[in-house]
Amino acid sequence: MARIAYVNGKYINHAQASVHIEDRGYQFSDGVYEYVAFYNRKLLDGELHFKRLERSLKELQIAEPVNFAALRVIVRELIERNGREDGGLYIQVTRGVAKRDHVFPKNVRPALVMTICGAKTPKPNEFEHGVKVITQPEIRWARRDIKSVSLLANILAKQEASRAHVRESLLVESDGTINEGSASNVFIVTKSGKLVTHQADENILGGITRDVLLRLAHKAGIAVEERAFSVNEAKAAAEAFITSTSINVLPVVKIDDKLVGGGKVGEITKQLQELYNAYIYKQTGKKF
Ligand code: PLP
C-alpha cells in the first residue's frame, strides 16, 4: 500500500518526505501537533482536534499554515491517497524554516506536515482485562495544555513504563497528585461511585477523549468530579482507567505494586467503554 505524506503543499512518498534542517521544529521543538484517529476513512472528532490545533497555534503565536477549510480538504485527500480504512493522522505545524535564532523570525511561513499511520488500538485482551501502569515524577514544563511537539519528558516517562513492561506512566507532581499519563488522561472511580479526573487546566493536556467521555458520563447520570487526586487515592480507588485518541478507554488494574479494584475491570469503566464504543460507532461505523 502506498504511504503518502503531505509536506508544505506537496503529496510525497513517505520514504522520500523530509523537512529542512533549519526547521524550527527540529531546532527548538517550536511547533505543535495533533493526532486524529479515523475509521472507515472518517475522522473521529476531527472538528474538536482542529479546534485544539487552532488553540495551540494561537497560544504559541504561530500563524495558521493554511486556513482550516483548506486543511479539511487536504486531510480528506491524504486519507484517500493512503487508501487505509482505519488509521491515524498526524498533523504537525512548526513556526517554519529560518536561520537559527531564539527570537521569532519575521516573514516566515509556518511549515505543515501530515502523515498517516496504522491504527494504534490496544489488543482486545487489554480492553477486557486492563493494563498495568507505574508512577513517575512530573518533570515537564508548565504549559501542558498546549499540544507541543516537545515531548522529551513524556518519552522518558513512557520509556520507564516500557522498561517496567507496563502500558503507561502516570505523572506525579511534587505534592503527590497525579495529573495525567505520559500520553493519556487518567480517571479513577471512588468507592462511592464518583468519577474523578484532573481538571482541564495548564497542568494537563485537555484530551479530546477526556472531554467526550465526561459528556457521556454526565448524560448517563454518573457523578463526576474534576479535581486532582493523590497516588494513594488512585491506588485505593475502586476503578481506574486511562483515555486517549489511540487507546480509547483502557482499564487500569495495577498501579506500581498495588492492584486496583482487586485487579479486575470495574463496572463503571465497562459502562464507559460501552458508551464510548457506541459513540465511535455512531460517528464512523467502526465497531470495537
Ligand atoms: N495527555 C497527553 C500528555 C497526551 O499526549 C494525550 C494524547 O496524546 C492525551 C492526554 C490524550 O489526549 P486525546 O484524548 O486528545 O488523544
Side-chain angles (χ1 to χ4, degrees):
M1 192 190 298
R3 193 170 177 207
I4 308 294
Y6 175 90
V7 185
N8 294 319
K10 293 198 180 88
Y11 297 92
I12 299 173
N13 205 306
H14 191 96
Q16 273 85 49
S18 61
V19 292
H20 198 282
I21 57 167
E22 293 276 35
D23 188 292
R24 287 176 65 94
Y26 174 64
Q27 298 288 10
F28 298 117
S29 299
D30 188 3
V32 299
Y33 77 107
E34 276 298 324
Y35 176 73
V36 195
F38 61 90
Y39 303 108
N40 297 317
R41 304 195 183 188
K42 293 189 189 110
L43 294 185
L44 178 68
D45 290 323
E47 290 307 312
L48 299 179
H49 284 277
F50 293 155
K51 212 152 124 196
R52 184 169 67 186
L53 178 64
E54 194 178 6
R55 178 182 181 275
S56 293
L57 289 169
K58 208 178 239 165
E59 289 297 320
L60 296 182
Q61 301 163 60
I62 297 174
E64 289 172 12
V66 292
N67 67 45
F68 276 82
L71 189 73
R72 283 183 196 92
V73 173
I74 298 166
V75 165
R76 212 173 309 129
E77 176 68 22
L78 188 63
I79 290 175
E80 287 305 315
R81 287 191 187 219
N82 277 270
R84 260 182 198 286
E85 294 305 314
D86 299 345
L89 161 73
Y90 280 99
I91 308 173
Q92 187 150 322
V93 182
T94 72
R95 201 178 303 278
V97 175
K99 184 163 146 278
R100 191 175 175 132
D101 183 352
H102 282 48
V103 175
F104 294 175
K106 287 199 177 77
N107 306 319
V108 162
R109 274 169 59 113
L112 171 62
V113 169
M114 289 195 255
T115 54
I116 298 283
C117 61
K120 299 179 175 183
T121 329
K123 298 180 188 80
N125 177 51
E126 294 180 296
F127 279 132
E128 196 182 335
H129 299 295
V131 297
K132 301 172 192 162
V133 301
I134 54 170
T135 54
Q136 284 290 298
E138 174 61 273
I139 59 167
R140 294 177 299 165
W141 74 325
R143 287 304 307 276
R144 302 155 201 156
D145 56 312
I146 299 169
K147 202 163 168 64
S148 148
V149 296
S150 176
L151 291 171
L152 196 47
N154 305 62
I155 65 172
L156 290 175
K158 194 67 155 198
Q159 182 59 26
E160 284 308 304
S162 171
R163 221 156 61 104
H165 304 291
V166 300
R167 180 76 199 204
E168 176 63 303
S169 282
L170 311 188
L171 305 178
V172 182
E173 303 274 9
S174 53
D175 67 358
T177 57
I178 291 169
N179 52 39
E180 62 177 338
S182 75
S184 59
N185 290 115
V186 184
F187 290 73
I188 58 169
V189 178
T190 64
K191 294 224 162 83
S192 63
K194 237 180 224 158
L195 183 64
V196 183
T197 192
H198 197 286
Q199 67 273 12
D201 58 15
E202 294 185 351
N203 295 306
I204 68 163
L205 180 75
I208 303 297
T209 322
R210 172 193 177 282
D211 284 356
V212 168
L213 207 68
L214 286 178
R215 265 194 277 133
L216 295 173
H218 274 299
K219 259 206 213 156
I222 297 167
V224 172
E225 254 180 45
E226 291 181 67
R227 62 167 172 83
F229 52 86
S230 69
V231 174
N232 288 340
E233 187 178 358
K235 288 182 178 176
E239 307 178 25
F241 61 88
I242 50 180
T243 64
S244 82
T245 299
S246 49
I247 62 173
N248 301 349
V249 177
L250 189 59
V252 169
V253 291
K254 197 174 186 191
I255 302 175
D256 295 331
D257 290 328
K258 180 81 175 59
L259 288 178
V260 177
K264 295 228 158 62
V265 177
E267 289 308 313
I268 292 182
T269 304
K270 283 186 198 162
Q271 185 188 352
L272 288 166
Q273 278 183 312
E274 279 169 23
L275 288 171
Y276 193 66
N277 288 346
Y279 177 86
I280 295 175
Y281 180 71
K282 201 170 161 198
Q283 228 184 93
T284 66
K286 173 75 178 178
K287 266 196 181 133
F288 275 100

